[in-house]
PDB file of all heavy atoms in Angstrom:
ATOM      1  N   ALA I   7      53.794 -20.929  18.459  1.00  0.00           N
ATOM      2  CA  ALA I   7      52.546 -21.558  19.027  1.00  0.00           C
ATOM      3  C   ALA I   7      51.379 -20.771  18.510  1.00  0.00           C
ATOM      4  O   ALA I   7      51.313 -19.549  18.632  1.00  0.00           O
ATOM      5  CB  ALA I   7      52.620 -21.402  20.590  1.00  0.00           C
ATOM      6  N   SER I   8      50.440 -21.531  17.927  1.00  0.00           N
ATOM      7  CA  SER I   8      49.282 -20.900  17.255  1.00  0.00           C
ATOM      8  C   SER I   8      48.025 -21.625  17.547  1.00  0.00           C
ATOM      9  O   SER I   8      48.057 -22.762  18.045  1.00  0.00           O
ATOM     10  CB  SER I   8      49.488 -20.810  15.743  1.00  0.00           C
ATOM     11  OG  SER I   8      49.542 -22.079  15.140  1.00  0.00           O
ATOM     12  N   SER I   9      46.895 -21.028  17.287  1.00  0.00           N
ATOM     13  CA  SER I   9      45.596 -21.692  17.470  1.00  0.00           C
ATOM     14  C   SER I   9      44.600 -21.186  16.441  1.00  0.00           C
ATOM     15  O   SER I   9      44.580 -20.039  16.070  1.00  0.00           O
ATOM     16  CB  SER I   9      45.105 -21.554  18.822  1.00  0.00           C
ATOM     17  OG  SER I   9      44.473 -20.300  19.041  1.00  0.00           O
ATOM     18  N   ALA I  10      43.582 -22.062  16.030  1.00  0.00           N
ATOM     19  CA  ALA I  10      42.601 -21.713  15.188  1.00  0.00           C
ATOM     20  C   ALA I  10      41.660 -20.754  15.963  1.00  0.00           C
ATOM     21  O   ALA I  10      41.040 -19.880  15.255  1.00  0.00           O
ATOM     22  CB  ALA I  10      41.756 -22.936  14.746  1.00  0.00           C
ATOM     23  N   GLU I  11      41.525 -20.837  17.287  1.00  0.00           N
ATOM     24  CA  GLU I  11      40.686 -19.937  18.017  1.00  0.00           C
ATOM     25  C   GLU I  11      41.089 -18.487  17.905  1.00  0.00           C
ATOM     26  O   GLU I  11      40.313 -17.631  17.750  1.00  0.00           O
ATOM     27  CB  GLU I  11      40.601 -20.343  19.498  1.00  0.00           C
ATOM     28  CG  GLU I  11      39.821 -21.646  19.736  1.00  0.00           C
ATOM     29  CD  GLU I  11      40.527 -22.916  19.366  1.00  0.00           C
ATOM     30  OE1 GLU I  11      41.740 -22.832  19.058  1.00  0.00           O
ATOM     31  OE2 GLU I  11      39.878 -23.973  19.343  1.00  0.00           O
ATOM     32  N   VAL I  12      42.430 -18.278  17.977  1.00  0.00           N
ATOM     33  CA  VAL I  12      42.941 -16.913  17.839  1.00  0.00           C
ATOM     34  C   VAL I  12      42.761 -16.427  16.393  1.00  0.00           C
ATOM     35  O   VAL I  12      42.519 -15.267  16.176  1.00  0.00           O
ATOM     36  CB  VAL I  12      44.393 -16.831  18.249  1.00  0.00           C
ATOM     37  CG1 VAL I  12      45.030 -15.528  17.909  1.00  0.00           C
ATOM     38  CG2 VAL I  12      44.551 -17.144  19.724  1.00  0.00           C
ATOM     39  N   ALA I  13      42.894 -17.309  15.418  1.00  0.00           N
ATOM     40  CA  ALA I  13      42.638 -16.972  13.998  1.00  0.00           C
ATOM     41  C   ALA I  13      41.208 -16.500  13.863  1.00  0.00           C
ATOM     42  O   ALA I  13      41.011 -15.505  13.141  1.00  0.00           O
ATOM     43  CB  ALA I  13      42.954 -18.177  13.145  1.00  0.00           C
ATOM     44  N   MET I  14      40.280 -17.197  14.418  1.00  0.00           N
ATOM     45  CA  MET I  14      38.919 -16.778  14.243  1.00  0.00           C
ATOM     46  C   MET I  14      38.596 -15.467  14.974  1.00  0.00           C
ATOM     47  O   MET I  14      37.806 -14.663  14.573  1.00  0.00           O
ATOM     48  CB  MET I  14      37.994 -17.933  14.783  1.00  0.00           C
ATOM     49  CG  MET I  14      37.935 -19.110  13.795  1.00  0.00           C
ATOM     50  SD  MET I  14      36.738 -20.352  14.294  1.00  0.00           S
ATOM     51  CE  MET I  14      37.584 -21.204  15.618  1.00  0.00           C
ATOM     52  N   LEU I  15      39.323 -15.282  16.063  1.00  0.00           N
ATOM     53  CA  LEU I  15      39.167 -13.975  16.805  1.00  0.00           C
ATOM     54  C   LEU I  15      39.687 -12.843  15.963  1.00  0.00           C
ATOM     55  O   LEU I  15      38.988 -11.862  15.842  1.00  0.00           O
ATOM     56  CB  LEU I  15      39.949 -14.061  18.157  1.00  0.00           C
ATOM     57  CG  LEU I  15      39.971 -12.800  18.970  1.00  0.00           C
ATOM     58  CD1 LEU I  15      38.567 -12.401  19.392  1.00  0.00           C
ATOM     59  CD2 LEU I  15      40.840 -12.965  20.210  1.00  0.00           C
ATOM     60  N   CYS I  16      40.815 -13.041  15.290  1.00  0.00           N
ATOM     61  CA  CYS I  16      41.342 -12.004  14.473  1.00  0.00           C
ATOM     62  C   CYS I  16      40.443 -11.788  13.242  1.00  0.00           C
ATOM     63  O   CYS I  16      40.264 -10.600  12.902  1.00  0.00           O
ATOM     64  CB  CYS I  16      42.777 -12.370  13.941  1.00  0.00           C
ATOM     65  SG  CYS I  16      43.601 -11.189  12.937  1.00  0.00           S
ATOM     66  N   ALA I  17      39.921 -12.801  12.657  1.00  0.00           N
ATOM     67  CA  ALA I  17      38.946 -12.642  11.543  1.00  0.00           C
ATOM     68  C   ALA I  17      37.703 -11.931  11.968  1.00  0.00           C
ATOM     69  O   ALA I  17      37.181 -11.120  11.169  1.00  0.00           O
ATOM     70  CB  ALA I  17      38.557 -14.093  11.058  1.00  0.00           C
ATOM     71  N   ALA I  18      37.231 -12.140  13.207  1.00  0.00           N
ATOM     72  CA  ALA I  18      35.999 -11.493  13.646  1.00  0.00           C
ATOM     73  C   ALA I  18      36.242 -10.008  13.924  1.00  0.00           C
ATOM     74  O   ALA I  18      35.456  -9.134  13.658  1.00  0.00           O
ATOM     75  CB  ALA I  18      35.437 -12.155  14.823  1.00  0.00           C
ATOM     76  N   LEU I  19      37.389  -9.668  14.624  1.00  0.00           N
ATOM     77  CA  LEU I  19      37.639  -8.329  15.056  1.00  0.00           C
ATOM     78  C   LEU I  19      38.217  -7.438  13.972  1.00  0.00           C
ATOM     79  O   LEU I  19      38.105  -6.185  14.028  1.00  0.00           O
ATOM     80  CB  LEU I  19      38.557  -8.283  16.303  1.00  0.00           C
ATOM     81  CG  LEU I  19      38.063  -9.017  17.539  1.00  0.00           C
ATOM     82  CD1 LEU I  19      39.047  -8.794  18.682  1.00  0.00           C
ATOM     83  CD2 LEU I  19      36.692  -8.554  17.950  1.00  0.00           C
ATOM     84  N   LYS I  20      38.900  -8.033  13.071  1.00  0.00           N
ATOM     85  CA  LYS I  20      39.580  -7.312  12.004  1.00  0.00           C
ATOM     86  C   LYS I  20      40.467  -6.107  12.570  1.00  0.00           C
ATOM     87  O   LYS I  20      40.314  -4.935  12.205  1.00  0.00           O
ATOM     88  CB  LYS I  20      38.582  -6.654  10.961  1.00  0.00           C
ATOM     89  CG  LYS I  20      37.712  -7.714  10.373  1.00  0.00           C
ATOM     90  CD  LYS I  20      36.652  -7.082   9.444  1.00  0.00           C
ATOM     91  CE  LYS I  20      35.742  -8.037   8.750  1.00  0.00           C
ATOM     92  NZ  LYS I  20      34.923  -8.852   9.712  1.00  0.00           N
ATOM     93  N   PRO I  21      41.361  -6.430  13.439  1.00  0.00           N
ATOM     94  CA  PRO I  21      42.143  -5.394  14.132  1.00  0.00           C
ATOM     95  C   PRO I  21      43.077  -4.665  13.103  1.00  0.00           C
ATOM     96  O   PRO I  21      43.520  -5.288  12.139  1.00  0.00           O
ATOM     97  CB  PRO I  21      42.934  -6.170  15.212  1.00  0.00           C
ATOM     98  CG  PRO I  21      43.124  -7.540  14.564  1.00  0.00           C
ATOM     99  CD  PRO I  21      41.809  -7.760  13.867  1.00  0.00           C
ATOM    100  N   ARG I  22      43.381  -3.438  13.415  1.00  0.00           N
ATOM    101  CA  ARG I  22      44.296  -2.727  12.549  1.00  0.00           C
ATOM    102  C   ARG I  22      45.736  -3.289  12.769  1.00  0.00           C
ATOM    103  O   ARG I  22      46.515  -3.358  11.854  1.00  0.00           O
ATOM    104  CB  ARG I  22      44.262  -1.260  12.874  1.00  0.00           C
ATOM    105  CG  ARG I  22      42.866  -0.717  12.451  1.00  0.00           C
ATOM    106  CD  ARG I  22      42.605   0.662  13.055  1.00  0.00           C
ATOM    107  NE  ARG I  22      43.429   1.735  12.494  1.00  0.00           N
ATOM    108  CZ  ARG I  22      43.362   2.935  12.970  1.00  0.00           C
ATOM    109  NH1 ARG I  22      42.620   3.269  13.946  1.00  0.00           N
ATOM    110  NH2 ARG I  22      44.178   3.904  12.409  1.00  0.00           N
ATOM    111  N   TYR I  23      46.056  -3.654  14.000  1.00  0.00           N
ATOM    112  CA  TYR I  23      47.337  -4.310  14.330  1.00  0.00           C
ATOM    113  C   TYR I  23      47.069  -5.533  15.201  1.00  0.00           C
ATOM    114  O   TYR I  23      46.235  -5.449  16.185  1.00  0.00           O
ATOM    115  CB  TYR I  23      48.303  -3.347  15.042  1.00  0.00           C
ATOM    116  CG  TYR I  23      48.919  -2.287  14.187  1.00  0.00           C
ATOM    117  CD1 TYR I  23      48.268  -1.146  13.861  1.00  0.00           C
ATOM    118  CD2 TYR I  23      50.141  -2.497  13.661  1.00  0.00           C
ATOM    119  CE1 TYR I  23      48.837  -0.129  13.008  1.00  0.00           C
ATOM    120  CE2 TYR I  23      50.768  -1.573  12.721  1.00  0.00           C
ATOM    121  CZ  TYR I  23      50.095  -0.448  12.520  1.00  0.00           C
ATOM    122  OH  TYR I  23      50.631   0.521  11.658  1.00  0.00           O
ATOM    123  N   HIS I  24      47.700  -6.610  14.981  1.00  0.00           N
ATOM    124  CA  HIS I  24      47.675  -7.796  15.769  1.00  0.00           C
ATOM    125  C   HIS I  24      49.104  -8.165  16.232  1.00  0.00           C
ATOM    126  O   HIS I  24      49.975  -8.472  15.354  1.00  0.00           O
ATOM    127  CB  HIS I  24      47.093  -8.986  15.023  1.00  0.00           C
ATOM    128  CG  HIS I  24      46.858 -10.218  15.830  1.00  0.00           C
ATOM    129  ND1 HIS I  24      46.196 -11.308  15.352  1.00  0.00           N
ATOM    130  CD2 HIS I  24      47.249 -10.540  17.078  1.00  0.00           C
ATOM    131  CE1 HIS I  24      46.187 -12.267  16.225  1.00  0.00           C
ATOM    132  NE2 HIS I  24      46.868 -11.858  17.316  1.00  0.00           N
ATOM    133  N   PHE I  25      49.340  -8.085  17.534  1.00  0.00           N
ATOM    134  CA  PHE I  25      50.724  -8.373  18.031  1.00  0.00           C
ATOM    135  C   PHE I  25      50.693  -9.688  18.837  1.00  0.00           C
ATOM    136  O   PHE I  25      49.789  -9.965  19.630  1.00  0.00           O
ATOM    137  CB  PHE I  25      51.179  -7.201  18.935  1.00  0.00           C
ATOM    138  CG  PHE I  25      51.487  -5.970  18.265  1.00  0.00           C
ATOM    139  CD1 PHE I  25      50.584  -4.930  18.183  1.00  0.00           C
ATOM    140  CD2 PHE I  25      52.758  -5.806  17.648  1.00  0.00           C
ATOM    141  CE1 PHE I  25      50.861  -3.746  17.545  1.00  0.00           C
ATOM    142  CE2 PHE I  25      53.063  -4.643  16.900  1.00  0.00           C
ATOM    143  CZ  PHE I  25      52.151  -3.603  16.862  1.00  0.00           C
ATOM    144  N   ALA I  26      51.684 -10.487  18.574  1.00  0.00           N
ATOM    145  CA  ALA I  26      51.920 -11.691  19.365  1.00  0.00           C
ATOM    146  C   ALA I  26      53.448 -11.672  19.656  1.00  0.00           C
ATOM    147  O   ALA I  26      54.125 -10.723  19.519  1.00  0.00           O
ATOM    148  CB  ALA I  26      51.512 -12.902  18.592  1.00  0.00           C
ATOM    149  N   THR I  27      53.914 -12.792  20.146  1.00  0.00           N
ATOM    150  CA  THR I  27      55.338 -12.923  20.502  1.00  0.00           C
ATOM    151  C   THR I  27      55.872 -14.166  19.962  1.00  0.00           C
ATOM    152  O   THR I  27      55.165 -15.111  19.741  1.00  0.00           O
ATOM    153  CB  THR I  27      55.504 -12.861  22.008  1.00  0.00           C
ATOM    154  OG1 THR I  27      56.878 -12.678  22.319  1.00  0.00           O
ATOM    155  CG2 THR I  27      54.996 -14.022  22.693  1.00  0.00           C
ATOM    156  N   SER I  28      57.214 -14.217  19.714  1.00  0.00           N
ATOM    157  CA  SER I  28      57.916 -15.382  19.248  1.00  0.00           C
ATOM    158  C   SER I  28      58.725 -15.991  20.412  1.00  0.00           C
ATOM    159  O   SER I  28      59.459 -15.279  21.085  1.00  0.00           O
ATOM    160  CB  SER I  28      58.816 -15.078  18.092  1.00  0.00           C
ATOM    161  OG  SER I  28      58.093 -14.464  17.032  1.00  0.00           O
ATOM    162  N   SER I  29      58.533 -17.268  20.674  1.00  0.00           N
ATOM    163  CA  SER I  29      59.272 -17.936  21.696  1.00  0.00           C
ATOM    164  C   SER I  29      60.754 -18.101  21.268  1.00  0.00           C
ATOM    165  O   SER I  29      61.644 -18.057  22.118  1.00  0.00           O
ATOM    166  CB  SER I  29      58.630 -19.219  22.079  1.00  0.00           C
ATOM    167  OG  SER I  29      58.574 -20.106  20.919  1.00  0.00           O
ATOM    168  N   SER I  30      60.937 -18.283  19.987  1.00  0.00           N
ATOM    169  CA  SER I  30      62.312 -18.346  19.467  1.00  0.00           C
ATOM    170  C   SER I  30      62.866 -16.975  19.060  1.00  0.00           C
ATOM    171  O   SER I  30      62.064 -16.059  19.018  1.00  0.00           O
ATOM    172  CB  SER I  30      62.340 -19.286  18.226  1.00  0.00           C
ATOM    173  OG  SER I  30      61.849 -20.556  18.574  1.00  0.00           O
ATOM    174  N   ASP I  31      64.173 -16.912  18.779  1.00  0.00           N
ATOM    175  CA  ASP I  31      64.762 -15.647  18.496  1.00  0.00           C
ATOM    176  C   ASP I  31      64.555 -15.187  17.066  1.00  0.00           C
ATOM    177  O   ASP I  31      65.525 -15.102  16.226  1.00  0.00           O
ATOM    178  CB  ASP I  31      66.228 -15.744  18.811  1.00  0.00           C
ATOM    179  CG  ASP I  31      66.505 -15.880  20.303  1.00  0.00           C
ATOM    180  OD1 ASP I  31      65.581 -15.798  21.069  1.00  0.00           O
ATOM    181  OD2 ASP I  31      67.663 -16.115  20.677  1.00  0.00           O
ATOM    182  N   PHE I  32      63.320 -14.865  16.707  1.00  0.00           N
ATOM    183  CA  PHE I  32      63.083 -14.361  15.343  1.00  0.00           C
ATOM    184  C   PHE I  32      61.893 -13.355  15.369  1.00  0.00           C
ATOM    185  O   PHE I  32      61.044 -13.392  16.276  1.00  0.00           O
ATOM    186  CB  PHE I  32      62.766 -15.488  14.330  1.00  0.00           C
ATOM    187  CG  PHE I  32      61.410 -16.153  14.461  1.00  0.00           C
ATOM    188  CD1 PHE I  32      60.340 -15.676  13.748  1.00  0.00           C
ATOM    189  CD2 PHE I  32      61.258 -17.294  15.296  1.00  0.00           C
ATOM    190  CE1 PHE I  32      59.088 -16.235  13.885  1.00  0.00           C
ATOM    191  CE2 PHE I  32      59.963 -17.829  15.437  1.00  0.00           C
ATOM    192  CZ  PHE I  32      58.889 -17.364  14.759  1.00  0.00           C
ATOM    193  N   PHE I  33      61.973 -12.446  14.397  1.00  0.00           N
ATOM    194  CA  PHE I  33      60.948 -11.396  14.295  1.00  0.00           C
ATOM    195  C   PHE I  33      60.231 -11.685  12.982  1.00  0.00           C
ATOM    196  O   PHE I  33      60.760 -12.073  11.950  1.00  0.00           O
ATOM    197  CB  PHE I  33      61.648 -10.035  14.201  1.00  0.00           C
ATOM    198  CG  PHE I  33      60.711  -8.905  13.665  1.00  0.00           C
ATOM    199  CD1 PHE I  33      59.860  -8.314  14.534  1.00  0.00           C
ATOM    200  CD2 PHE I  33      60.736  -8.536  12.359  1.00  0.00           C
ATOM    201  CE1 PHE I  33      58.997  -7.237  14.084  1.00  0.00           C
ATOM    202  CE2 PHE I  33      59.889  -7.505  11.888  1.00  0.00           C
ATOM    203  CZ  PHE I  33      59.017  -6.832  12.778  1.00  0.00           C
ATOM    204  N   TYR I  34      58.856 -11.522  13.021  1.00  0.00           N
ATOM    205  CA  TYR I  34      58.046 -11.763  11.831  1.00  0.00           C
ATOM    206  C   TYR I  34      57.032 -10.652  11.614  1.00  0.00           C
ATOM    207  O   TYR I  34      56.375 -10.299  12.575  1.00  0.00           O
ATOM    208  CB  TYR I  34      57.349 -13.107  11.928  1.00  0.00           C
ATOM    209  CG  TYR I  34      56.449 -13.452  10.732  1.00  0.00           C
ATOM    210  CD1 TYR I  34      56.985 -13.721   9.468  1.00  0.00           C
ATOM    211  CD2 TYR I  34      55.079 -13.443  10.887  1.00  0.00           C
ATOM    212  CE1 TYR I  34      56.206 -13.986   8.398  1.00  0.00           C
ATOM    213  CE2 TYR I  34      54.317 -13.702   9.830  1.00  0.00           C
ATOM    214  CZ  TYR I  34      54.803 -14.005   8.575  1.00  0.00           C
ATOM    215  OH  TYR I  34      54.009 -14.318   7.463  1.00  0.00           O
ATOM    216  N   GLU I  35      57.076 -10.025  10.440  1.00  0.00           N
ATOM    217  CA  GLU I  35      56.022  -9.025  10.114  1.00  0.00           C
ATOM    218  C   GLU I  35      55.423  -9.497   8.766  1.00  0.00           C
ATOM    219  O   GLU I  35      56.130  -9.449   7.775  1.00  0.00           O
ATOM    220  CB  GLU I  35      56.631  -7.650   9.994  1.00  0.00           C
ATOM    221  CG  GLU I  35      55.560  -6.601   9.664  1.00  0.00           C
ATOM    222  CD  GLU I  35      56.093  -5.152   9.723  1.00  0.00           C
ATOM    223  OE1 GLU I  35      57.337  -5.008   9.836  1.00  0.00           O
ATOM    224  OE2 GLU I  35      55.308  -4.272   9.663  1.00  0.00           O
ATOM    225  N   ARG I  36      54.162  -9.872   8.848  1.00  0.00           N
ATOM    226  CA  ARG I  36      53.452 -10.262   7.615  1.00  0.00           C
ATOM    227  C   ARG I  36      53.031  -9.089   6.853  1.00  0.00           C
ATOM    228  O   ARG I  36      52.824  -8.016   7.346  1.00  0.00           O
ATOM    229  CB  ARG I  36      52.238 -11.072   8.049  1.00  0.00           C
ATOM    230  CG  ARG I  36      51.583 -11.861   6.921  1.00  0.00           C
ATOM    231  CD  ARG I  36      50.168 -12.230   7.227  1.00  0.00           C
ATOM    232  NE  ARG I  36      49.607 -13.128   6.204  1.00  0.00           N
ATOM    233  CZ  ARG I  36      49.133 -12.735   5.039  1.00  0.00           C
ATOM    234  NH1 ARG I  36      49.272 -11.430   4.716  1.00  0.00           N
ATOM    235  NH2 ARG I  36      48.665 -13.605   4.204  1.00  0.00           N
ATOM    236  N   GLU I  37      52.896  -9.270   5.493  1.00  0.00           N
ATOM    237  CA  GLU I  37      52.310  -8.157   4.731  1.00  0.00           C
ATOM    238  C   GLU I  37      50.900  -7.876   5.286  1.00  0.00           C
ATOM    239  O   GLU I  37      50.224  -8.752   5.834  1.00  0.00           O
ATOM    240  CB  GLU I  37      52.170  -8.604   3.262  1.00  0.00           C
ATOM    241  CG  GLU I  37      53.376  -9.175   2.662  1.00  0.00           C
ATOM    242  CD  GLU I  37      53.281 -10.671   2.573  1.00  0.00           C
ATOM    243  OE1 GLU I  37      52.921 -11.349   3.578  1.00  0.00           O
ATOM    244  OE2 GLU I  37      53.661 -11.260   1.540  1.00  0.00           O
ATOM    245  N   PRO I  38      50.417  -6.660   5.125  1.00  0.00           N
ATOM    246  CA  PRO I  38      49.027  -6.349   5.510  1.00  0.00           C
ATOM    247  C   PRO I  38      48.104  -7.283   4.797  1.00  0.00           C
ATOM    248  O   PRO I  38      48.345  -7.637   3.597  1.00  0.00           O
ATOM    249  CB  PRO I  38      48.902  -4.867   5.137  1.00  0.00           C
ATOM    250  CG  PRO I  38      50.243  -4.296   5.003  1.00  0.00           C
ATOM    251  CD  PRO I  38      51.088  -5.471   4.537  1.00  0.00           C
ATOM    252  N   PHE I  39      47.009  -7.649   5.463  1.00  0.00           N
ATOM    253  CA  PHE I  39      45.990  -8.427   4.760  1.00  0.00           C
ATOM    254  C   PHE I  39      44.636  -7.862   4.975  1.00  0.00           C
ATOM    255  O   PHE I  39      44.362  -7.201   6.015  1.00  0.00           O
ATOM    256  CB  PHE I  39      45.948  -9.906   5.176  1.00  0.00           C
ATOM    257  CG  PHE I  39      45.853 -10.221   6.635  1.00  0.00           C
ATOM    258  CD1 PHE I  39      44.580 -10.306   7.219  1.00  0.00           C
ATOM    259  CD2 PHE I  39      46.954 -10.358   7.405  1.00  0.00           C
ATOM    260  CE1 PHE I  39      44.494 -10.552   8.576  1.00  0.00           C
ATOM    261  CE2 PHE I  39      46.867 -10.573   8.835  1.00  0.00           C
ATOM    262  CZ  PHE I  39      45.588 -10.669   9.375  1.00  0.00           C
ATOM    263  N   PHE I  40      43.785  -7.837   3.934  1.00  0.00           N
ATOM    264  CA  PHE I  40      42.550  -7.135   4.006  1.00  0.00           C
ATOM    265  C   PHE I  40      41.380  -8.226   4.076  1.00  0.00           C
ATOM    266  O   PHE I  40      41.500  -9.321   3.624  1.00  0.00           O
ATOM    267  CB  PHE I  40      42.276  -6.261   2.790  1.00  0.00           C
ATOM    268  CG  PHE I  40      42.366  -6.987   1.429  1.00  0.00           C
ATOM    269  CD1 PHE I  40      41.230  -7.529   0.816  1.00  0.00           C
ATOM    270  CD2 PHE I  40      43.613  -7.045   0.817  1.00  0.00           C
ATOM    271  CE1 PHE I  40      41.391  -8.190  -0.382  1.00  0.00           C
ATOM    272  CE2 PHE I  40      43.727  -7.672  -0.453  1.00  0.00           C
ATOM    273  CZ  PHE I  40      42.597  -8.278  -0.976  1.00  0.00           C
ATOM    274  N   HIS I  41      40.336  -7.840   4.780  1.00  0.00           N
ATOM    275  CA  HIS I  41      39.213  -8.647   5.101  1.00  0.00           C
ATOM    276  C   HIS I  41      38.080  -8.388   4.064  1.00  0.00           C
ATOM    277  O   HIS I  41      37.902  -7.290   3.570  1.00  0.00           O
ATOM    278  CB  HIS I  41      38.721  -8.447   6.518  1.00  0.00           C
ATOM    279  CG  HIS I  41      39.745  -8.590   7.532  1.00  0.00           C
ATOM    280  ND1 HIS I  41      39.970  -9.830   8.233  1.00  0.00           N
ATOM    281  CD2 HIS I  41      40.652  -7.740   8.033  1.00  0.00           C
ATOM    282  CE1 HIS I  41      40.933  -9.713   9.074  1.00  0.00           C
ATOM    283  NE2 HIS I  41      41.392  -8.517   8.978  1.00  0.00           N
ATOM    284  N   PRO I  42      37.173  -9.344   3.845  1.00  0.00           N
ATOM    285  CA  PRO I  42      35.982  -9.085   3.036  1.00  0.00           C
ATOM    286  C   PRO I  42      35.151  -8.000   3.651  1.00  0.00           C
ATOM    287  O   PRO I  42      35.077  -7.985   4.896  1.00  0.00           O
ATOM    288  CB  PRO I  42      35.248 -10.465   3.127  1.00  0.00           C
ATOM    289  CG  PRO I  42      36.308 -11.491   3.444  1.00  0.00           C
ATOM    290  CD  PRO I  42      37.269 -10.720   4.349  1.00  0.00           C
ATOM    291  N   PRO I  43      34.582  -7.178   2.907  1.00  0.00           N
ATOM    292  CA  PRO I  43      33.753  -6.038   3.465  1.00  0.00           C
ATOM    293  C   PRO I  43      32.608  -6.513   4.250  1.00  0.00           C
ATOM    294  O   PRO I  43      31.855  -7.406   3.803  1.00  0.00           O
ATOM    295  CB  PRO I  43      33.356  -5.209   2.251  1.00  0.00           C
ATOM    296  CG  PRO I  43      33.422  -6.209   1.132  1.00  0.00           C
ATOM    297  CD  PRO I  43      34.440  -7.158   1.402  1.00  0.00           C
ATOM    298  N   ALA I  44      32.366  -5.954   5.332  1.00  0.00           N
ATOM    299  CA  ALA I  44      31.242  -6.252   6.186  1.00  0.00           C
ATOM    300  C   ALA I  44      29.973  -5.628   5.705  1.00  0.00           C
ATOM    301  O   ALA I  44      28.833  -6.108   5.773  1.00  0.00           O
ATOM    302  CB  ALA I  44      31.425  -5.745   7.673  1.00  0.00           C
ATOM    303  N   ASP I  45      30.144  -4.438   4.998  1.00  0.00           N
ATOM    304  CA  ASP I  45      28.984  -3.701   4.427  1.00  0.00           C
ATOM    305  C   ASP I  45      29.373  -3.437   2.902  1.00  0.00           C
ATOM    306  O   ASP I  45      30.208  -2.680   2.632  1.00  0.00           O
ATOM    307  CB  ASP I  45      28.837  -2.372   5.131  1.00  0.00           C
ATOM    308  CG  ASP I  45      27.642  -1.617   4.585  1.00  0.00           C
ATOM    309  OD1 ASP I  45      26.962  -2.104   3.639  1.00  0.00           O
ATOM    310  OD2 ASP I  45      27.471  -0.444   5.064  1.00  0.00           O
ATOM    311  N   PRO I  46      28.693  -4.149   2.000  1.00  0.00           N
ATOM    312  CA  PRO I  46      29.020  -3.952   0.573  1.00  0.00           C
ATOM    313  C   PRO I  46      28.787  -2.581   0.067  1.00  0.00           C
ATOM    314  O   PRO I  46      29.316  -2.165  -0.987  1.00  0.00           O
ATOM    315  CB  PRO I  46      28.057  -5.012  -0.083  1.00  0.00           C
ATOM    316  CG  PRO I  46      26.934  -5.233   0.903  1.00  0.00           C
ATOM    317  CD  PRO I  46      27.557  -5.079   2.236  1.00  0.00           C
ATOM    318  N   GLU I  47      27.945  -1.740   0.807  1.00  0.00           N
ATOM    319  CA  GLU I  47      27.722  -0.396   0.377  1.00  0.00           C
ATOM    320  C   GLU I  47      28.774   0.632   0.881  1.00  0.00           C
ATOM    321  O   GLU I  47      28.765   1.834   0.608  1.00  0.00           O
ATOM    322  CB  GLU I  47      26.364   0.074   0.782  1.00  0.00           C
ATOM    323  CG  GLU I  47      25.295  -0.796   0.200  1.00  0.00           C
ATOM    324  CD  GLU I  47      23.863  -0.265   0.541  1.00  0.00           C
ATOM    325  OE1 GLU I  47      23.774   0.738   1.322  1.00  0.00           O
ATOM    326  OE2 GLU I  47      22.834  -0.914   0.143  1.00  0.00           O
ATOM    327  N   SER I  48      29.719   0.122   1.780  1.00  0.00           N
ATOM    328  CA  SER I  48      30.694   1.010   2.321  1.00  0.00           C
ATOM    329  C   SER I  48      32.006   0.894   1.555  1.00  0.00           C
ATOM    330  O   SER I  48      32.379  -0.203   1.116  1.00  0.00           O
ATOM    331  CB  SER I  48      30.942   0.668   3.793  1.00  0.00           C
ATOM    332  OG  SER I  48      31.996   1.387   4.369  1.00  0.00           O
TER     333      SER I  48
END
């Protein structure tokens, strides 16, 4: 179960870890993904 609203929340917060749960019996760990820099000088 997913939503675009949660995707936009993750995109805005850029959390170091994002945990959700699977309703079915499977585990999923995505490769780390990096966000565009908020400050080009950093």
Side-chain angles (χ1 to χ4, degrees):
S8 64
S9 78
E11 288 76 11
V12 171
M14 287 187 281
L15 177 60
C16 182
L19 299 185
K20 303 177 180 63
R22 295 163 71 182
Y23 285 86
H24 183 173
F25 288 99
T27 190
S28 303
S29 55
S30 301
D31 292 353
F32 72 92
F33 166 82
Y34 178 69
E35 181 173 11
R36 193 200 187 282
E37 310 100 316
F39 55 89
F40 57 90
H41 303 266
D45 181 3
E47 297 182 2
S48 173

